[in-house]
Amino acid sequence: MVVKVYGPAYASPKRVLLCLVEKEIDFETVPVDLIAGENLTPEYLKLQPFGSLPVIQDGDYTLFESRAIIRYYAEKYKTQGTDLLGKTLEDQGLVNQWLEVEAHNYHPPLLNLVLHIMFSPHFGIVRNEQVIKESEEKLAKVLDVYEDRLSKSKYLAGDFFSLADLSHIPFTSYLVGPVGKEYMIKERKHVSAWWDDISSRPSWLKVLEICK
């Protein structure tokens, strides 16, 4: 069965698409327009009761939350495509550690920047310059930790590309693009080299092409 991924225009579904491309898994995309409220229709809420993106359907199996989905496919197809989990239990521990850091430390301030700078006109959010300032300060502190980490290893979990790195790509592409804060990446030597590496992977370029 071909995996269906709902909402390819947005960053969190792109996280899933990126994983599927790396794992060489066939998929098709199903558009969901958040601005038009298509994520709040009764049909969609049967798949995702909170109205968030993405959702995948894999035959009779339905799963939501992008990080849960990428963990699922990385484990299910561990020997296919890119190994995104690491070879040892210790590798896997570090992958999960940095994946949690992305979810709980990196993503929240970045999401605030995205919402207040990119999407405030579309979702009825009042742009708040104080929130933007505080979020940038919080993200800068996280990136300083990353700079130290990446001075010691090529990727976050070690010298191999993993889910931990993959999970950063879609939203960071907003940061260096439409959010207009590329300097936050570029002014940190090791973070900048890491970003240049992961954002030029063929899998990400393919996802961008698919989602044009």
Side-chain angles (χ1 to χ4, degrees):
M1 296 291 290
V2 175
V3 179
K4 288 184 180 180
V5 183
Y6 288 76
Y10 302 96
S12 290
K14 284 187 175 74
R15 184 181 283 128
V16 173
L17 297 181
L18 189 48
C19 177
L20 295 175
V21 173
E22 289 279 356
K23 298 305 293 181
E24 301 173 2
I25 299 167
D26 292 334
F27 63 88
E28 61 185 45
T29 59
V30 182
V32 179
D33 188 340
L34 292 180
I35 296 170
E38 292 178 357
N39 57 311
L40 300 176
T41 63
E43 295 79 10
Y44 186 78
L45 291 173
K46 287 178 183 175
L47 300 174
Q48 217 296 10
F50 301 103
S52 300
L53 295 173
V55 175
I56 63 98
Q57 285 183 301
D58 191 344
D60 295 330
Y61 186 64
T62 300
L63 191 64
F64 55 82
E65 293 297 339
S66 61
R67 294 174 191 84
I69 296 168
I70 63 176
R71 280 184 171 117
Y72 168 73
Y73 282 113
E75 186 64 50
K76 182 176 180 180
Y77 296 96
K78 184 168 173 56
T79 60
Q80 177 175 310
T82 308
D83 180 1
L84 299 171
L85 296 173
K87 299 191 184 326
T88 68
L89 192 59
E90 289 73 21
D91 286 345
Q92 292 168 27
L94 288 172
V95 171
N96 282 318
Q97 170 184 278
W98 287 101
L99 193 54
E100 291 294 320
V101 169
E102 184 273 326
H104 299 292
N105 299 87
Y106 185 84
H107 183 73
L110 177 50
L111 180 61
N112 275 338
L113 292 174
V114 169
L115 290 176
H116 282 265
I117 294 172
M118 283 180 64
F119 290 117
S120 56
H122 304 292
F123 294 118
I125 299 168
V126 177
R127 180 177 170 129
N128 186 317
E129 296 300 331
Q130 185 63 26
V131 169
I132 292 172
K133 179 177 180 291
E134 290 174 356
S135 297
E136 183 171 339
E137 289 171 353
K138 288 178 182 176
L139 184 60
K141 289 179 181 178
V142 177
L143 286 169
D144 287 342
V145 174
Y146 282 32
E147 178 68 7
D148 179 65
R149 171 60 181 170
L150 292 165
S151 71
K152 300 166 186 170
S153 62
K154 184 175 182 181
Y155 299 104
L156 287 171
D159 291 322
F160 62 99
F161 179 78
S162 74
L163 288 183
D165 309 289
L166 179 152
S167 193
H168 286 78
I169 295 175
F171 274 93
T172 306
S173 73
Y174 285 163
L175 182 72
V176 303
V179 168
K181 297 190 181 294
E182 183 179 20
Y183 61 86
M184 296 188 72
I185 301 295
K186 293 303 180 184
E187 69 187 10
R188 294 170 172 85
K189 175 184 174 182
H190 299 289
V191 170
S192 182
W194 168 74
W195 173 248
D196 288 346
D197 182 312
I198 65 175
S199 64
S200 63
R201 289 183 72 83
S203 56
W204 178 238
L205 301 180
K206 182 174 181 178
V207 169
L208 292 177
E209 186 66 27
I210 290 168
C211 298
K212 270 185 177 179

